């Protein structure tokens, strides 16, 4: 009887852990949206730029493998490097419809075929800590398409 209880407890714990892991993976954009921006003068450009203030929840994702759902926004013909948006092209950051925390740069492990529908990408999330005037806040490295 005690063995059955222990087995059920272990199985229940495993299911809960998997659910928590899946939950955290599906909410990457929600976590990234907690990033706050402050204006600072860029000495080289002579204009104010937005500088991110990453909260602990976002910091915890830095260097971690994540799965992100979103839309490919081609920046050039090279689909080994592109922007990835939480929203479709017509409502994304580049069209002025969303904030900068809703897009990320992607460096794919291999070229990814462009599709207009939402896709899942898996890769290592990196936070931009240096070049705020010409780079996005987030970078997904070694990205691959997953189901």
């Amino acid at each position: 009887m005690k063995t059955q209880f222990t087995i059920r407890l272990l199985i229940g714990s495993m299911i809960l852990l998997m659910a928590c892991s899946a939950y955290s993976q599906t909410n990457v954009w929600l976590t990234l949206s907690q990033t706050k921006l402050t204006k600072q003068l860029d000495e080289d450009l002579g204009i104010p730029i937005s500088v991110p203030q990453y909260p602990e929840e976002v910091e915890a994702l830095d260097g971690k493998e994540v799965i992100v759902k979103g839309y490919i926004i081609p920046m050039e013909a090279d689909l080994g490097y592109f922007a990835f948006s939480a929203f479709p092209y017509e409502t994304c950051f580049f069209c002025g419809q969303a904030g900068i925390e809703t897009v990320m740069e992607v460096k794919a492990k291999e070229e990814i075929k462009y599709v207009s529908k939402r896709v899942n990408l898996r890769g290592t999330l990196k936070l931009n800590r240096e070049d705020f005037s010409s780079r996005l806040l987030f970078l997904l490295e070694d990205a691959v398409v997953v189901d």
Side-chain angles (χ1 to χ4, degrees):
M1 190 66 133
K2 194 173 188 180
T3 305
Q4 282 183 334
F5 176 76
T6 304
I7 291 172
R8 287 182 182 174
L9 183 62
L10 285 172
I11 291 172
S13 298
M14 288 175 20
I15 290 170
L16 182 61
L17 283 172
M18 288 188 299
C20 289
S21 175
Y23 176 79
S24 66
Q25 289 296 330
T26 58
N27 287 289
V28 171
W29 289 118
L30 184 61
T31 301
L32 297 179
S33 73
Q34 296 175 40
T35 301
K36 303 294 183 220
L37 299 171
T38 59
K39 293 285 187 185
Q40 289 184 3
L41 181 65
D42 183 296
E43 299 293 330
D44 295 332
L45 297 174
I47 59 171
I49 60 169
S50 295
V51 176
Q53 305 297 312
Y54 301 117
E56 287 182 27
E57 297 84 1
V58 175
E59 289 280 357
L61 293 176
D62 191 25
K64 300 284 192 289
E65 185 174 273
V66 296
I67 296 174
V68 186
K69 295 178 181 184
Y71 298 86
I72 296 171
I73 310 293
M75 299 188 319
E76 296 178 7
D78 177 14
L79 284 177
Y81 178 73
F82 54 90
F84 196 60
S85 173
F87 302 107
Y89 186 74
E90 58 275 358
T91 58
C92 79
F93 166 74
F94 297 105
C95 294
Q97 301 296 316
I100 194 167
E101 73 284 353
T102 65
V103 290
M104 63 178 62
E105 294 177 49
V106 173
K107 288 185 183 177
K109 191 173 259 186
E110 297 177 2
E111 255 190 40
I112 293 176
K113 184 178 189 284
Y114 171 76
V115 292
S116 59
K117 65 179 183 170
R118 189 167 75 166
V119 297
N120 297 323
L121 295 181
R122 182 182 65 226
T124 302
L125 185 70
K126 301 284 184 155
L127 304 181
N128 177 4
R129 298 185 187 280
E130 298 173 7
D131 185 3
F132 308 118
S133 62
S134 64
R135 304 288 304 268
L136 296 176
L137 303 180
F138 314 108
L139 171 65
L140 192 66
E141 292 184 330
D142 297 323
V144 294
V145 175
V146 294
D147 291 330

